Every structure is written in structure tokens, then in C-alpha cells.
């Protein structure tokens, strides 16, 4: 069973930075797509950043140039990261780590058939 555990959320002032981490117990098949989603109060969940098994990345337009997704593998555990710089109040949301099998549209595959963590809250104050 795939387990995803996020950490690193918190409160920060606008312009600040946070780094989210996600540890994933997943095999290469179920982690071919990995990424971060977020959901703000009263809004729909949206894909923020995704990375494929080969390292191909994609970002939501709203975070391009500010957020960076990366991954690592240590001690048979996958680690997914999201470096968030130049944070804005509109980045405030619950952030979720997700993983799924491969699909050319990683965001869509994770959204409809992915495994999810429980989320970590990010709050950006103005």
C-alpha cells in the first residue's frame, strides 16, 4: 500500500519561503508521477507542481518561477520536495502530496487515480 506523509508546512509572511517534504513508500510503478496539489478554503483543488519518473517537471502558471519541485531516493524511500519562494497570501492552502502510475498528463492521473497524503497547511500573511 502506498503511504505519503507530508511535512514542512507553517506560517510565513509574504515574500518568505517554505520547503515542503513528502516521504513516500511506493514502488516505481505507483510513483511514476508525483506531485503537489493544494486546496484553499472555498476553492477547488488544483495541481501545483508535478514530476515524472524521468524528472520531467510541470507547474501551474500561478507558481512558475517561484516554486521548484524535486525528488530524491534514499534508503529505499522516495522523498518529494516543494521549494516555495516569494510566497504570496494567495498561496495559502492545504498542500497535498500525490503519486500515481504513469500518464502523459501526470496532474490528471494523480487527480483521478492517485494516492494522497493527509496534507500540510501553508499560511502566508500579508
Amino acid at each position: 500500500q502506498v503511504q505519503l506523509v507530508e511535512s514542512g508546512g507553517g506560517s510565513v509572511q509574504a515574500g518568505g519561503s517554505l520547503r515542503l517534504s513528502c516521504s513516500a513508500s511506493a514502488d516505481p510503478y505507483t510513483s511514476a508521477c508525483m506531485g503537489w496539489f493544494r486546496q484553499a478554503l472555498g476553492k477547488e483543488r488544483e495541481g501545483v507542481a508535478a514530476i515524472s519518473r524521468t524528472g520531467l517537471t510541470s507547474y501551474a502558471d500561478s507558481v512558475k518561477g517561484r516554486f521548484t519541485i524535486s525528488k530524491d531516493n534514499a534508503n529505499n524511500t522516495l522523498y518529494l520536495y516543494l521549494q516555495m519562494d516569494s510566497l504570496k497570501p494567495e498561496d495559502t492552502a492545504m498542500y497535498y502530496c500525490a503519486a500515481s502510475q504513469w500518464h502523459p498528463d501526470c496532474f490528471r492521473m494523480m487527480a483521478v487515480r492517485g494516492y494522497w497524503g493527509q496534507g500540510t497547511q501553508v499560511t502566508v500573511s500579508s
Side-chain angles (χ1 to χ4, degrees):
Q1 185 174 355
V2 177
Q3 290 187 323
L4 304 169
V5 180
E6 303 96 336
S7 61
S11 297
V12 66
Q13 289 192 327
S17 298
L18 282 174
R19 189 190 194 208
L20 305 184
S21 300
C22 172
S23 63
S25 60
D27 59 41
Y29 177 76
T30 53
S31 62
C33 286
M34 297 191 75
W36 294 92
F37 288 71
R38 67 185 181 187
Q39 187 166 21
L41 283 175
K43 295 188 176 181
E44 293 187 355
R45 182 182 62 191
E46 63 172 342
V48 175
I51 187 167
S52 72
R53 186 174 58 227
T54 59
L56 186 66
T57 59
S58 56
Y59 297 91
D61 287 343
S62 59
V63 306
K64 282 181 181 177
R66 300 188 298 120
F67 290 12
T68 304
I69 189 171
S70 61
K71 62 178 181 176
D72 194 8
N73 193 327
N75 299 323
N76 294 320
T77 300
L78 279 171
Y79 294 93
L80 185 71
Y81 305 101
L82 186 68
Q83 178 66 41
M84 304 185 294
D85 299 318
S86 302
L87 283 161
K88 303 176 181 180
E90 51 264 44
D91 294 319
T92 295
M94 185 71 79
Y95 283 71
Y96 298 91
C97 174
S100 72
Q101 61 184 304
W102 166 250
H103 189 276
D105 187 342
C106 269
F107 279 128
R108 178 168 178 79
M109 178 57 78
M110 287 186 288
V112 299
R113 297 189 65 182
Y115 299 90
W116 295 83
Q118 292 190 331
T120 185
Q121 178 68 36
V122 171
T123 302
V124 184
S125 58
S126 57

